[in-house]
Amino acid sequence: MSRTVRVAVAQSGPIQKTDSREHVVARLLEMMKQAAAGKCNIVLFTELALTTFFPRYYEEDRGKMDDWFESGMPNSATRPLFDTARELGIGFSLVFAELTADQHHYNTQILVDTQANIVGRYRKVHLPGHAEYEPERAWQHLEKRYFEPGNLGFPVWRTMGGVMGMCICNDRRWPETFRVMGLQGVELVMLGYNTPTLNSMKPEETAATRMHHNHLCMQAGAYQNACWVAGCAKAGDEDGHDLMAGSCIINPDGEIVALAQSNEDEVIVHDCDLDECAFLKKTTFDFDAHRRIEHYGLISSQTGAVPPPE
Amino acid sequence: MSRTVRVAVAQSGPIQKTDSREHVVARLLEMMKQAAAGKCNIVLFTELALTTFFPRYYEEDRGKMDDWFESGMPNSATRPLFDTARELGIGFSLVFAELTADQHHYNTQILVDTQANIVGRYRKVHLPGHAEYEPERAWQHLEKRYFEPGNLGFPVWRTMGGVMGMCICNDRRWPETFRVMGLQGVELVMLGYNTPTLNSMKPEETAATRMHHNHLCMQAGAYQNACWVAGCAKAGDEDGHDLMAGSCIINPDGEIVALAQSNEDEVIVHDCDLDECAFLKKTTFDFDAHRRIEHYGLISSQTGAVPPPE
């Protein structure tokens, strides 16, 4: 069996508040068909791929935000994605706001195989932002209000010929995310992001610096765990709020090998040879030979920073 | 008290096997004086700053390698560094092979304050390479033969107006290194490296890719822990083995703000405002608000990678 996975990253342009799920799914289907026509094995969609980035809106009554959530997957609006994927024999990964049967809210990603079976589910662990209205911000970022932190850890799945992992947006800034998957031998990490082009707390921070942060974290995660990373943006102007693009595919050397060029719906493709992970996993990043866990205790025992006394 | 530390990184050009400690120290003194003349508060020297990178040489009888080690610090050869530092009122950090009174061997870094007191000691935790002769390598990398892994963890020190950390060479490739210091509020990490320009196991790996790996790890460590990082190379041709240069100073955004331009002895300088760490430590990387240690257990409990069953 070939160990090369042809990966399509399907960047989304902006999605407006009034856009229906059906309208959005039609855009995703168009990109899925394009990926399948290019003989891709899997197509990665972005974070909150079905809606606008609604955590920018404050609502005192959280229950009123449930319309942004999916209470079943597939559901009537998203079933065409599953049907078309099965028909075309392409896998996909989708991120959406999940409302569970027992009323929990998560920022959730699924991995769907080429027979349209949901084979993996991840729930975003690192929720950025805040839970209450913060007037000092240029705009709100209320992920901690509308979502609970993921309760599934960072699992990996052996499917499509390799070891697959998922994470979402802010997760990529935390090396722990990639390392926990690296310790399970991950070979391809798929992630989506909705990241503002401006910093709501630091207006002088340039878009270039913010894109550098974005790529830096994914590149380091790839290299330091000797895996491929695919990052998929939601880009462009959503209701006056600009989201950065920069969707990319990164090799196990941490080098960007494919990069989106627009702020619109755009598919980028790369043949990811999972066997390319082996060299670094066996040498520089032979964890068994080189890691020294006796000195890592703080990482999993202490949450916040504790500087030495003044 | 000002929170700006003017940091000098004193890259070393090559040191040959026959170069005496006195000869090498004279070169370091020259750079220390240059840094002090530029009103720097501290000068960082590289890994194994007193000798050639001797772990490239195989010696069956390890005891015969003890000549490469320092059994006291300061000693007669290095005392001029301490005397001159005190006289000029400049701190410094030096990395050398340490032979302890009870016959342990470490790759050790010291932090010396502006009164020439040794205020911090770090011993390299992540030893790369191997312990026995490996004929398949283009050259040997016997750090695991001649050194024991450091036994001091990753401490930080409050000195010179800030929270200072140290690590050495291969430590920089491991995000755990920076994170353990980040959890102690580190504001400036000083590290030295002796890194071959070529990969002994992969001759086709380019120098550019290897420099990218070098900078990527330091930049990610800086950004993800909102600290300054100073990296100091030993560069150039040591006995036919080329070492990469690329000494640099990196800000808490993970951006390189000073970069060496040569493969020789060279001093680069930057005013590192430690208060610049505060923004990211309070927002994106407010560890207390955002880290989820309940999902990090594998990092400190499992050394090697364990992929899911085939």
Side-chain angles (χ1 to χ4, degrees):
Chain A
M1 176 170 194
S2 167
R3 291 264 293 158
T4 294
V5 179
R6 183 169 289 186
V7 175
V9 172
Q11 174 175 288
S12 285
I15 301 174
Q16 305 308 329
K17 281 180 87 165
T18 54
D19 290 345
S20 69
R21 301 284 204 285
E22 289 69 20
H23 174 78
V24 174
V25 167
R27 287 167 53 185
L28 301 183
L29 278 172
E30 198 55 47
M31 292 198 283
M32 179 184 279
K33 288 173 187 169
Q34 186 182 329
K39 301 194 183 310
C40 292
N41 302 106
I42 186 163
V43 54
L44 169 65
F45 298 113
T46 189
E47 182 188 31
L48 297 181
L50 302 173
T51 66
T52 196
F53 185 74
F54 64 83
R56 72 171 68 91
Y57 303 113
Y58 178 76
E59 173 56 60
E60 192 176 340
D61 178 357
R62 300 176 194 208
K64 287 191 181 163
M65 299 298 275
D66 280 354
D67 286 351
W68 296 111
F69 286 74
E70 315 300 319
S71 52
M73 186 59 62
N75 53 32
S76 61
T78 57
R79 196 170 309 277
L81 284 171
F82 289 76
D83 291 344
T84 301
R86 188 184 303 107
E87 188 182 314
L88 298 174
I90 188 170
F92 70 94
S93 182
L94 183 73
V95 192
F96 56 92
E98 176 190 20
L99 177 56
T100 68
D102 53 351
Q103 299 299 303
H104 290 286
H105 299 72
Y106 298 108
N107 193 339
T108 294
Q109 181 170 7
I110 53 170
L111 179 60
V112 182
D113 72 10
T114 54
Q115 289 82 47
N117 303 305
I118 296 176
V119 293
R121 181 178 300 260
Y122 167 73
R123 290 169 174 153
K124 186 174 182 176
V125 164
H126 297 100
L127 298 172
H130 47 105
E132 300 302 330
Y133 189 85
E134 294 191 353
E136 72 274 20
R137 289 177 181 264
W139 59 88
Q140 302 297 298
H141 191 141
L142 292 155
E143 284 192 62
K144 285 192 198 293
R145 183 173 188 82
Y146 301 126
F147 298 113
E148 297 162 66
N151 62 344
L152 302 174
F154 298 100
V156 301
W157 296 270
R158 190 177 286 282
T159 182
M160 298 182 188
V163 181
M164 306 295 172
M166 302 190 278
C167 66
I168 303 173
C169 195
N170 183 48
D171 283 322
R172 73 196 186 288
R173 302 190 195 270
W174 301 85
E176 292 88 347
T177 299
F178 292 99
R179 182 59 100 226
V180 172
M181 290 190 271
L183 281 162
Q184 300 169 82
V186 76
E187 295 175 313
L188 170 60
V189 174
M190 287 169 280
L191 70 92
Y193 57 89
N194 283 213
T195 302
T197 303
L198 299 175
N199 188 327
S200 68
M201 304 288 280
K202 190 178 182 182
E204 71 275 22
E205 188 169 275
T206 68
T209 291
R210 289 175 62 75
M211 185 61 79
H212 154 75
H213 294 161
N214 172 41
H215 286 151
L216 176 63
C217 293
M218 292 192 281
Q219 292 177 273
Y223 172 61
Q224 293 175 328
N225 296 282
C227 63
W228 293 87
V229 173
C232 185
K234 173 119 62 67
D237 184 340
E238 283 192 350
D239 196 16
H241 298 86
D242 199 63
L243 298 174
M244 69 168 69
S247 299
C248 58
I249 301 174
I250 297 165
N251 71 16
D253 277 306
E255 297 164 333
I256 295 173
V257 293
L259 180 64
Q261 300 299 317
S262 78
N263 290 325
E264 303 295 336
D265 288 5
E266 177 181 349
V267 179
I268 60 171
V269 174
H270 191 80
D271 285 325
C272 300
D273 180 354
L274 302 184
D275 286 334
E276 284 185 31
C277 304
F279 175 75
L280 280 171
K281 284 186 193 292
K282 283 186 206 159
T283 59
T284 307
F285 297 116
D286 177 346
F287 288 175
D288 201 46
H290 302 309
R291 294 182 79 245
R292 305 297 316 186
I293 61 174
E294 69 272 28
H295 297 302
Y296 302 162
L298 277 190
I299 294 172
S300 55
S301 66
Q302 178 181 305
T303 301
V306 182
E310 298 260 0
Chain B
M1 178 169 192
S2 165
R3 291 264 292 158
T4 293
V5 179
R6 182 168 289 184
V7 175
V9 171
Q11 172 174 288
S12 285
I15 301 175
Q16 304 309 329
K17 281 179 87 166
T18 54
D19 291 346
S20 69
R21 300 284 205 287
E22 289 70 20
H23 174 79
V24 174
V25 167
R27 287 167 53 185
L28 301 183
L29 278 172
E30 198 56 44
M31 292 197 284
M32 179 183 279
K33 289 174 186 169
Q34 187 182 331
K39 300 197 184 306
C40 292
N41 302 105
I42 187 164
V43 55
L44 169 64
F45 297 114
T46 189
E47 182 190 29
L48 297 181
L50 302 173
T51 65
T52 197
F53 185 72
F54 64 83
R56 73 171 67 91
Y57 304 113
Y58 178 77
E59 173 57 59
E60 192 176 341
D61 177 359
R62 299 176 194 208
K64 287 190 181 163
M65 299 298 276
D66 280 354
D67 285 351
W68 295 111
F69 286 73
E70 316 299 319
S71 52
M73 187 59 63
N75 53 32
S76 61
T78 58
R79 196 171 309 277
L81 285 171
F82 290 76
D83 291 343
T84 301
R86 188 185 303 107
E87 188 182 314
L88 298 174
I90 188 169
F92 70 95
S93 182
L94 184 72
V95 192
F96 56 91
E98 176 190 20
L99 177 57
T100 69
D102 53 350
Q103 300 297 305
H104 290 286
H105 298 73
Y106 298 108
N107 192 339
T108 294
Q109 182 170 7
I110 54 171
L111 179 60
V112 181
D113 72 10
T114 54
Q115 289 83 47
N117 302 306
I118 296 177
V119 294
R121 180 178 301 261
Y122 168 73
R123 291 172 175 152
K124 186 173 183 178
V125 164
H126 296 100
L127 299 172
H130 47 106
E132 300 301 329
Y133 189 85
E134 294 191 354
E136 72 274 20
R137 290 177 181 264
W139 61 86
Q140 302 297 298
H141 191 141
L142 292 156
E143 285 194 60
K144 284 193 198 293
R145 182 174 188 82
Y146 301 126
F147 298 113
E148 297 162 67
N151 61 345
L152 303 174
F154 299 101
V156 302
W157 296 269
R158 190 177 286 282
T159 183
M160 297 182 189
V163 182
M164 305 294 170
M166 302 190 277
C167 66
I168 303 174
C169 194
N170 182 50
D171 283 322
R172 73 197 185 287
R173 302 190 195 271
W174 300 86
E176 292 89 346
T177 298
F178 292 99
R179 183 59 99 225
V180 172
M181 290 190 272
L183 281 162
Q184 300 169 81
V186 77
E187 295 175 314
L188 170 61
V189 174
M190 288 169 278
L191 71 91
Y193 57 90
N194 283 212
T195 302
T197 304
L198 300 176
N199 187 327
S200 68
M201 303 287 281
K202 190 179 182 183
E204 71 275 21
E205 190 169 274
T206 68
T209 291
R210 289 175 62 75
M211 186 61 79
H212 154 74
H213 294 159
N214 172 42
H215 286 152
L216 176 63
C217 292
M218 293 191 282
Q219 292 177 274
Y223 172 60
Q224 292 175 329
N225 296 282
C227 63
W228 293 86
V229 173
C232 184
K234 173 119 62 66
D237 184 340
E238 284 192 349
D239 196 16
H241 298 84
D242 199 63
L243 297 174
M244 69 168 67
S247 298
C248 58
I249 300 174
I250 298 166
N251 72 15
D253 277 308
E255 296 164 335
I256 294 173
V257 293
L259 180 64
Q261 300 299 317
S262 78
N263 290 324
E264 302 295 335
D265 288 5
E266 178 181 349
V267 179
I268 60 171
V269 174
H270 191 80
D271 283 325
C272 300
D273 179 355
L274 302 184
D275 286 333
E276 284 185 31
C277 304
F279 176 74
L280 281 171
K281 285 186 193 291
K282 283 185 206 158
T283 59
T284 307
F285 297 115
D286 176 347
F287 288 175
D288 201 46
H290 302 309
R291 295 182 79 244
R292 304 298 314 186
I293 61 173
E294 69 272 28
H295 297 303
Y296 303 162
L298 275 191
I299 293 172
S300 55
S301 66
Q302 177 182 306
T303 302
V306 182
E310 298 260 0

